[in-house]
Amino acid sequence: METYRNPTEVQMSQLVLLYHTNHRGELSVGQLLKWIDITACLSAEKHAGCPCVTASVDDIYFEHTIRTGQVVNIKAKVNRAFNSSMEVGIQVTSEDPCNEKQWNVCKALATFVAQRNSSKVKLKQILPLTEEEKVEYSVAAERRRMRLVYTETIRDLLAKSVIQDDLESRDCSRMVPAEKTRVESVELVLPPHANHQGNTFGGQIMAWMENVATIAASRLCGAHPTLKTIEMFHFRGPSQVGDRLVLKAIVNNAFKNSMEVGVCVEAYHQEMESCRRHLNSAFMTFVVLDGDDQPITLPWIQPQGEEGERRYREASARKKMRLDRKYIVSCKQTEVPLSVPWDPSNQVYLSYNNVSSLKMLMAKDTWVLTSEINKIKLYTLEDDKFLSFHMEMTVYTDTAQAFLLLSDLGRRPEWDKHYQSVELVQQVDEDDAIYRVISTALGGAECKPQDFVVLASRRKPCDSGEPYVLALRSVTLPTHPKTPEYTRGETLCSGFCLWREGDQQTKVSYYNQATTSFLNYVTTNVAGLSSEFITTFKACEQFLLDNKSELALSLQNL
């Protein structure tokens, strides 16, 4: 039987030769970026049936270097198509053909736009079939939401961030003036650099950017740096054959073992043109490795002028946000701690993780039907160190109204006896809020009641057929520490998904990934578990029916 293969999947394998490598015999990251972009573009065009251009690239973390004689394997497939844009997932591995060893190099997500005769093309939808495809399809909508607000989010966070100024405490004898690292280079776009429409390959531009950034980094450290991270960036517009691209790079800040280099790309077509087009900007993080592949301590950077000091301070803020983003967004589900500290700098990423975790749990195809009582189904799922529960029922009420009722956590005590009280701690924005929940004790009257501090994130459907989502996860707040009167409870992932199944008909699904304390409770109370869950869910159904007409005036807000 032939193995299933995604219809948009494209694979590329390249043997790394001497002219692909740097002085260390390692594959140039610029060359790798070109191969990644070509593979991803071919996957996008396979789905669109027409030419596509690179619109953006998410953060890329390089985990392993590739050496001369090794093979690079790149696999790309379309995760989801929107109106005229699509998200392409890319996975890069390397192998040594002599000993069959393999390494993960990096993963990447790129957005491509389909164009025909310079006009955008409406794309057909992707039909996910496997569990992995369903997860990527579902989470792609949340990643797109994060990309659309990325620039504004970063600007707001930089404006609000309190950045410690340590310039005066640094050792001036090891300082390098920032202007010494400045690099400017020009490239002429020729036909080999462009696609069949004459637009410059995004990967080619990224390779040129990596080149000038590497030169800037080497001027700081007096050595050959290694690129570790490229931060998410957007292409603001296309460039064509005949354009001159001016690439500028400078080291913004140097930390103990890493440095941030900022790169800007501008384009003009004729030498006499006075107005240059800003194509994109990016921030790249470099390290310098010793003979044992360990990062060495770097010289400090001396910012010069107001502009230099602004770049210096913003680089410090971006470093913290980068670490938050990598920690929260890139971690495997089992590696994320139950409660993550809440901070304005990680607000967007925690919200993303909250919703995407619930969608990943929802997309799993190993749920087992445990019981069905009064048309309420209870499923369980044992996965790694978690035991998850999923309840499902159909309620004859409007889906948008049910979403409004269930997403108001302050009303949950009306139907859930486990919720004694709910306090709104902070209304973060229209879609996210933080609550403190007091719940009944697990294990009987002799035990202390529990309290939870949870982030509630709600999402409306991106497309028809998608659910309304209310996701919950624990966070920690300095204003709400643990107290002696309560046992601090934690939830990694729980919440509701609501599907419209017809006029005044809604499928309501509740998911919960159980915590350790709850697992202990389950172990000694297996017999009553199904009955307790179903009784609570039945009360939820009655709550929705009792309030069927109450929120009719609020539906215009959805």
Side-chain angles (χ1 to χ4, degrees), residues 169-185:
S169 63
R170 290 194 166 185
D171 181 2
C172 296
S173 65
R174 297 192 68 241
M175 279 194 172
V176 176
E179 287 301 314
K180 183 181 177 181
T181 70
R182 185 180 293 278
V183 179
E184 181 171 323
S185 181

Side-chain angles (χ1 to χ4, degrees), residues 366-384:
T366 50
W367 289 99
V368 177
L369 180 62
T370 305
S371 63
E372 183 174 1
I373 303 173
N374 296 328
K375 296 183 180 180
I376 297 176
K377 297 177 181 179
L378 173 62
Y379 299 83
T380 58
L381 171 67
E382 292 188 51
D383 187 19
D384 294 324

